[in-house]
Amino acid sequence: MCGIVGYTGQNPAANILVTGLKRLEYRGYDSAGVALAERDATGTYTLNIIRRVGKVSGLESELNGHSSTSTCGIGHTRWATHGRPTQANAHPHISCDGRIAIVHNGIIENFAELREELIQRGHHFSSDTDTEVFAHLIEEAYEGNESSGIPATHKLLDALRIACTQVVGAYGVAAIAADEPGTIAVARKDSPIVIGRGEHGSYVASDVIALIDATRDVVVLEDGQFALLTPNKIIYTDDQGTPIEPAVTHIDWDIDLAEKAGYPDFMLKEIFEQPRVVRDTLVGRLTGAGELDIDELGLSFEELNLVDRVYVIACGTSYHAGLIAKNLIEAWARIPCEVEAASEFRYRNPIITPSTLVVAVSQSGETADTLAAIRDARIKGAKVFGVTNVVGSPVARESDGVIYTKANKEIAVASTKSFIGQVVSLTLLAMLLGQVKGKLTTGQTRMLFRELGDTAEHIQTILDTQQQAIQSAATACKDAPSALFVGRGMGAAVSNEGALKLKEISYLHAEAYAAGEMKHGAIALIEPGFPVIAVATKSAVYDKVLSNLKECEARGAKIIAVATEGDHEIEAIADYVIYVPPTREAFSAITATVPLQLLAREVARLRGCDIDQPRNLAKSVTVE
Ligand code: F6R
């Protein structure tokens, strides 16, 4: 959560920082700010702090009114944790004398004690944030070091290192000091930091997307590593101050990923990428002998064969991918599978033995609850398999094995393509478990694999043919105060995702219900015109879903159905029908989800909502 960026070089810093912050805005957009080291007519440097509540565009307008010549600065876009989204709580935060400024991602767990101690030592606080203690701790160490003979260019870095020894929690932090113009000191623990050298200077950010215009060769800072950026070079050290030479990672993805490429918003662009995601996630996964090949599996077939219980742990949309996986794992491998919100799992005492497989699903690979649940499961002896979209992310690093979802960077806050990548990856895992347990033959696996691959084309068909139907359905429910999403089996799992998408981007209340459960309570909500969105694709329970929909129709519900091409029976009940190509029931979750994503987006568009950056949300949830 939150985004940080820093630049020191030959060019004006303000524009570079704003461009970087815009790229990072998906991580939080409650407020934005920059600190710029400015030189006055007498040659003295001061730090110019400019902060605004709201999006980066507000900060940009403000900066346009300043004629900054600074070539060194740091910036931040915030998702509020400690303290309301006010200007005072916006980063950068400064020391008492205003000569040190910092930006920070993460949480300082012992901030209350530190703040109390700092106040007793005479420091003045101007925000409610946990971050501000960092600025004061650096200030103390910086002044304390004055007489210790540390060369001036290293003082800030040393002070930052000392401050880090006092802080408990997670941080990606960048600091500048008026007395060391042109340098940025950086530290990392449990919060991502990438650093790179471009033609015109040195860059730091919390995500490579903010510096990819300047360089494709970056250092991904490890926990406990530090860096000092100057316009012409970057020094890296360990936590003792000993110089190190970290590995350089080459970024090979295309800059187009960071742009909308002609689409009105990233969400639509990412929905349209889904056929590619299916194909990429499947590349190289089936051997000529009909066996599944998951090279990052990290678990032997013997170990997998011993698995007698699976937990899928995840949050939000990733949790919904888990609901789909449960159906497949139990159907194909006949292993009991439970799906649990990571935030619940970590505080229960789940039954875990060495033959338990925990599957942790996370797009970002850095969700705090999912990570904590992984750590807990491993301590209790489970094997953990990660499903993530981010190579080298904490979920990938802390799991025994991993499968990457190949969705590539997802920028819209609402997950779409990464969900499809997760479902495809979990489907592969279910097939693998089925093979290992001797329940699926290689012939069956080949057939399933081929049909799974066909869903790429099915998604394309939906994108090409159903836009008009989706628009009509969206128009019909855009003003409803609430909606129900219903289905059975796979359809029930998909309904959860449909309801979440509608809630998060259109702010319409929506609830998912197993269709058969409606008559036990929720049907009381239905009155004439109430929208019921049904996943009614052909399946073993299709007739049952139809009966449930008739019960809703009888009470005047407005029914929007996602149905299988060629099904005309549904037209007699539903007011609006969105068709998806026929598939095996196991893969219907992939096809049925796409219209629900488009429906949510269209409702949000009609309601004038911010599709890519819905209120109160952020892309990575690195707090509990
Ligand atoms: C909803 C959404 C969130 C995430 C959740 C978990 O569209 O994106 O519900 O799915 O915050 O995030 P990851 O998958 O990064 O662990």
Side-chain angles (χ1 to χ4, degrees):
M1 313 188 100
C2 305
I4 69 179
V5 62
Y7 168 75
T8 178
Q10 289 83 45
N11 289 339
N15 276 348
I16 294 171
L17 296 180
V18 165
T19 306
L21 288 178
K22 282 188 173 167
R23 292 264 173 83
L24 295 175
E25 202 165 24
Y26 72 98
R27 296 184 72 91
Y29 30 84
D30 287 334
S31 62
V34 295
L36 297 162
E38 306 275 7
R39 187 164 180 247
D40 68 15
T42 67
T44 310
Y45 279 89
T46 51
L47 299 184
N48 187 9
I49 314 292
I50 299 155
R51 304 180 292 186
R52 279 290 164 273
V53 172
K55 299 202 168 182
V56 177
S57 53
L59 174 73
E60 185 178 29
S61 313
E62 176 73 21
L63 279 167
N64 286 341
H66 288 64
S67 48
S68 170
T69 54
S70 170
T71 56
C72 174
I74 51 177
H76 188 270
T77 178
R78 176 171 187 246
W79 188 83
T81 53
H82 291 77
R84 291 166 55 77
T86 60
Q87 186 150 326
N89 289 335
H91 298 219
H93 289 289
I94 52 170
S95 56
C96 296
D97 61 7
R99 296 193 67 74
I100 289 169
I102 69 139
V103 289
H104 162 234
N105 279 356
I107 293 281
I108 299 174
E109 288 162 16
N110 59 340
F111 91 98
E113 301 98 275
L114 290 172
R115 184 181 166 108
E116 197 48 45
E117 288 163 19
L118 285 159
I119 289 172
Q120 277 171 18
R121 295 201 290 269
H123 289 264
H124 301 289
F125 278 75
S126 50
S127 79
D128 306 321
T129 64
D130 55 334
T131 295
E132 197 184 341
V133 297
F134 236 131
H136 296 282
L137 290 172
I138 296 172
E139 179 177 35
E140 276 197 344
Y142 197 73
E143 286 164 2
N145 280 349
E146 204 117 74
S147 55
S148 67
I150 295 165
T153 48
H154 287 182
K155 281 184 5 175
L156 180 62
L157 188 62
D158 286 339
L160 175 61
R161 196 163 27 241
I162 292 165
C164 288
T165 61
Q166 293 158 277
V167 161
V168 176
Y171 49 80
V173 61
I176 58 173
D179 296 327
E180 289 179 45
T183 64
I184 305 175
V186 179
R188 174 210 156 124
K189 181 175 171 282
D190 290 335
S191 188
I193 288 282
V194 288
I195 295 173
R197 285 265 321 127
E199 206 186 324
H200 303 290
S202 305
Y203 299 76
V204 56
S206 51
D207 187 323
V208 73
I209 202 164
L211 45 77
I212 193 147
D213 291 335
T215 178
R216 284 168 175 276
D217 295 312
V218 300
V219 167
V220 180
L221 217 60
E222 299 274 338
D223 283 350
Q225 294 182 341
F226 292 76
L228 189 76
L229 284 68
T230 62
N232 301 315
K233 68 172 179 183
I234 302 170
I235 297 165
Y236 295 94
T237 77
D238 65 13
D239 57 0
Q240 302 301 310
T242 310
I244 52 168
E245 278 198 28
V248 173
T249 305
H250 183 73
I251 307 300
D252 55 7
W253 46 263
D254 209 298
I255 188 67
D256 286 358
L257 285 171
E259 308 294 343
K260 288 183 192 155
Y263 288 91
D265 45 78
F266 280 108
M267 184 176 178
L268 192 62
K269 176 182 175 236
E270 288 164 1
I271 290 172
F272 271 77
E273 281 177 53
Q274 294 179 126
R276 197 257 322 140
V277 174
V278 173
R279 288 188 204 102
D280 286 1
T281 307
L282 292 179
V283 165
R285 297 300 188 190
L286 191 70
T287 67
E291 275 157 9
L292 287 161
D293 182 10
I294 299 179
D295 48 357
E296 321 88 339
L297 188 62
L299 300 167
S300 66
F301 283 4
E302 290 70 35
E303 282 172 312
L304 280 184
N305 196 21
L306 290 176
V307 169
D308 59 8
R309 179 198 294 265
V310 178
Y311 280 109
V312 182
I313 51 166
C315 305
T317 285
S318 302
Y319 170 84
H320 298 153
L323 296 177
I324 292 157
K326 172 186 166 70
N327 284 281
L328 302 180
I329 291 170
E330 293 193 343
W332 291 339
R334 306 304 296 156
I335 308 173
C337 176
E338 287 181 48
V339 190
E340 197 158 344
S343 53
E344 291 296 317
F345 182 89
R346 62 182 291 196
Y347 291 115
R348 282 198 318 114
N349 189 12
I351 299 167
I352 289 180
T353 68
S355 50
T356 303
L357 177 67
V358 169
V359 180
V361 188
S362 173
Q363 184 283 128
S364 62
E366 57 177 335
T367 298
D369 285 320
T370 308
L371 271 175
I374 290 175
R375 289 169 190 155
D376 188 50
R378 291 193 77 182
I379 288 169
K380 290 186 169 125
K383 293 281 179 217
V384 177
F385 188 73
V387 176
T388 183
N389 195 32
V390 180
V391 176
S393 60
V395 164
R397 288 206 305 247
E398 297 197 26
S399 300
D400 296 290
V402 67
I403 187 165
Y404 290 110
T405 48
K406 308 284 169 65
N408 287 345
K409 188 90 199 158
E410 189 175 63
I411 292 178
V413 165
S415 288
T416 52
K417 62 174 180 170
S418 64
F419 174 77
I420 294 297
Q422 289 168 347
V423 174
V424 172
S425 304
L426 289 164
T427 305
L428 289 176
L429 180 66
M431 281 159 61
L432 177 70
L433 288 169
Q435 272 200 337
V436 169
K437 290 280 181 187
K439 309 278 184 209
L440 283 183
T441 64
T442 49
Q444 287 168 319
T445 307
R446 270 206 194 92
M447 185 176 62
L448 289 173
F449 191 88
R450 196 188 55 246
E451 290 178 24
L452 179 59
D454 289 344
T455 61
E457 220 166 287
H458 298 332
I459 295 174
Q460 194 59 55
T461 304
I462 297 164
L463 297 173
D464 292 343
T465 63
Q466 297 303 302
Q467 300 282 0
Q468 189 53 54
I470 290 164
Q471 194 174 15
S472 307
T475 306
C477 60
K478 75 174 179 32
D479 296 318
S482 182
L484 275 179
F485 283 71
V486 300
R488 283 172 175 248
M490 280 294 186
V494 170
S495 297
N496 283 281
E497 181 55 9
L500 178 62
K501 285 287 93 82
L502 190 68
K503 272 186 277 213
E504 67 180 327
I505 62 168
S506 77
Y507 317 142
L508 268 188
H509 173 256
E511 201 179 334
Y513 237 79
E517 280 290 291
M518 295 269 292
K519 55 188 174 291
H520 299 290
I523 202 164
L525 288 169
I526 293 184
E527 53 186 4
F530 186 97
V532 172
I533 297 140
V535 180
T537 45
K538 287 284 184 187
S539 72
V541 287
Y542 172 76
D543 290 339
K544 309 287 173 204
V545 175
L546 229 53
S547 311
N548 299 137
L549 290 183
K550 281 187 181 143
E551 292 154 11
C552 297
E553 185 202 18
R555 287 157 183 88
K558 190 186 294 175
I559 296 174
I560 297 164
V562 175
T564 307
E565 259 169 34
D567 174 7
H568 298 297
E569 201 181 348
I570 191 85
E571 289 168 9
I573 302 172
D575 300 86
Y576 302 88
V577 184
I578 305 164
Y579 282 112
V580 298
T583 50
R584 175 187 294 273
E585 191 177 348
F587 305 142
S588 62
I590 298 175
T591 48
T593 299
V594 178
L596 300 185
Q597 297 168 337
L598 288 165
L599 180 72
R601 180 195 165 274
E602 185 57 17
V603 172
R605 192 188 68 80
L606 291 170
R607 287 167 64 86
C609 300
D610 186 333
I611 291 169
D612 285 338
Q613 295 175 350
R615 70 185 177 208
N616 303 339
L617 297 177
K619 187 75 186 157
S620 294
V621 185
T622 51
V623 293
E624 272 196 54

